[in-house]
Amino acid sequence: MNGKRFGITRRTALGASVVGLVLGLAACAPEAPRSEPSADPEPKRTTAPSASPQPGTKPELLLASLAKQSDIAVIDPALPDAQAVVRTISVGGAPWGLGVHAESGVAYAATAEGLAVVDLDAGKRTALVQYQHPAPFQSVGEYRPGGLGLAVSPDGSRVYVAVTTGEGRDNLEVFDTSKGVFVGSVAVGMRPFDVLVAPDGSWAATVDHDGFTVTVVDAVTLKPTQHTVAPFGTEGGLASWEKPHYGAVDADGTILLPYQGLVVARLDPLTGEVTTVKSNADSHSHGTALAGQKLLTVGTGAFGNANGEPNLSILNLESGDEQVVPLSPPHETVAVWTNALGAEFAALGGGNTRDEGWDGLTLVSLADLSVRSIPMPGYPQVVVSFAAR
């Protein structure tokens, strides 16, 4: 991974000693520079999906955090490439995690400066709430302090934000949406890339990248329970590549964590029991999402004990069948987008955290595996889907 830092506000960054400390908490081993990121990979095989919405259906849109800007983008993949970005909304420096409560039309973005509350109908930020553990300086990139993963409770009453200070102290902060304030904070594992929430809202969990752990937090008591999930062991510590980045939650509450395109760990969040499912993607795992019983996982290439190229794995958790779609350059996260005719697509953010991605979004049809590239300035990193109101 890459430790570059760039100023994004007028606040003064701390000195070199702090920078060294932040980089010392790096999740992945140093590596030689790979190929330069492409500003616009060669367009692939498909054009914009064309379909007329059926009466009574709510079209799905995408929301992406533009990690090298201070904006989020609302995207309609049903439109031609040049029109697909419907609008951008200023939210705060270096946005990372995103969540949407579709019924209220409110979105939330974990920025380096605080939690942004966004009215999607109006297309504007309505609040920027400082974290209980604010960042000591402002920057962009994987190692910047501030908000990382984010999840909204099913009823929209809470937003859970993973916050890192860049000084080895990381927390899950709890935001009450009716009061507009943070009402709790829980210490979690190191550098929580992702936040997950139970289907019934009974717990939230952080995927602690540098700790080989998942921290499950009871929604009522805020009591944390930490589970080590390390299918390949913890040897190498911070320099190891065999660590979790992102997760998905099955309908029964099981947490799914892909590792290296070699296995998917299934974690029972209540008991800590871990079982594994084999994968043949053989590519360093980042973002993941569920389309029914198909687990979609972004593979970023050959690192650690993964030897393959960047790809998208489509793994059927019931049958074990797997389809692997080559991708170049590496991407970061994936969401499931459904068009007006019910066809499903994997929507992948090109903003790879090692700074090897591209300024755009890639769509992969889950029906025929055709690929479409949509250029998009700002380095879209986290992508989520939501139903338009």
Side-chain angles (χ1 to χ4, degrees):
M1 294 186 174
N2 190 299
K4 293 181 181 178
R5 298 174 55 248
F6 305 90
I8 58 172
T9 72
R10 289 173 292 183
R11 300 185 189 182
T12 303
L14 296 185
S17 61
V18 173
V19 176
L21 177 59
V22 174
L23 295 181
L25 295 176
C28 296
E31 75 274 0
R34 293 163 65 100
S35 58
E36 289 297 318
S38 169
D40 182 5
E42 181 180 353
K44 306 294 194 317
R45 299 187 293 275
T46 64
T47 57
S50 58
S52 298
Q54 298 300 310
T57 62
K58 292 183 178 181
E60 278 196 347
L61 301 175
L62 296 171
L63 197 66
S65 56
L66 303 182
K68 291 188 176 180
Q69 296 183 358
S70 299
D71 307 315
I72 59 175
V74 179
I75 304 149
D76 185 352
L79 298 175
D81 291 0
Q83 303 168 26
V85 178
V86 176
R87 62 168 37 135
T88 58
I89 303 168
S90 178
V91 292
W96 187 299
L98 293 172
V100 178
H101 185 239
E103 293 181 8
S104 64
V106 177
Y108 302 90
T111 80
E113 300 176 55
L115 175 65
V117 182
V118 177
D119 183 329
L120 289 174
D121 293 337
K124 67 178 183 180
R125 186 185 76 186
T126 58
L128 182 64
V129 185
Q130 188 177 71
Y131 303 124
Q132 291 184 344
H133 302 83
F137 61 90
Q138 299 294 308
S139 66
V140 303
E142 179 184 346
Y143 302 112
R144 66 136 180 83
L148 300 178
L150 179 151
V152 182
S153 66
D155 64 1
S157 65
R158 286 182 169 185
V159 179
Y160 298 95
V161 190
V163 180
T164 179
T165 62
E167 299 170 336
R169 295 191 299 274
D170 302 324
N171 294 272
L172 181 67
E173 300 195 8
V174 183
F175 180 78
D176 185 307
T177 60
S178 63
K179 297 178 180 178
V181 296
F182 283 100
V183 293
S185 177
V186 183
V188 297
M190 295 179 66
R191 279 217 306 149
F193 262 49
D194 200 9
V195 176
L196 311 170
V197 66
D200 63 1
S202 61
W203 51 258
T206 57
V207 180
D208 309 323
H209 178 41
D210 283 357
F212 298 90
T213 57
V214 172
T215 304
V216 179
V217 178
D218 184 276
V220 176
T221 66
L222 297 188
K223 178 182 177 180
T225 302
Q226 199 163 86
H227 304 296
T228 297
V229 188
F232 302 104
T234 60
E235 184 177 356
L238 293 180
S240 171
W241 293 98
E242 287 72 39
K243 295 183 290 190
H245 286 78
Y246 301 89
V249 181
D250 209 342
D252 64 0
T254 301
I255 296 175
L256 303 167
L257 302 157
Y259 289 77
Q260 297 291 76
L262 300 175
V263 300
V264 175
R266 302 182 65 117
L267 169 68
D268 184 321
L270 302 182
T271 67
E273 180 183 2
V274 177
T275 58
T276 59
V277 178
K278 183 179 179 181
S279 170
N280 295 307
D282 195 20
S283 187
H284 186 57
S285 301
H286 275 226
T288 192
L290 273 169
Q293 281 301 297
K294 293 181 178 179
L295 185 69
L296 316 179
T297 301
V298 177
T300 63
F303 298 97
N305 63 354
N307 297 304
E309 296 298 319
N311 59 36
L312 171 70
S313 162
I314 306 171
L315 176 63
N316 189 311
L317 296 171
E318 292 180 337
S319 67
D321 295 337
E322 186 173 28
Q323 297 167 298
V324 178
V325 181
L327 295 173
S328 182
H331 291 66
E332 183 66 16
T333 63
V334 59
V336 181
W337 175 70
T338 305
N339 72 8
L341 294 183
E344 292 183 321
F345 297 79
L348 299 99
N352 176 255
T353 50
R354 287 197 306 276
D355 211 19
E356 294 181 350
W358 74 292
D359 282 330
L361 193 75
T362 298
L363 287 184
V364 179
S365 167
L366 299 189
D368 62 14
L369 306 187
S370 57
V371 180
R372 171 187 171 203
S373 299
I374 307 175
M376 189 178 306
Y379 213 60
Q381 180 174 306
V382 171
V383 182
V384 299
S385 61
F386 67 100
R389 300 208 313 155

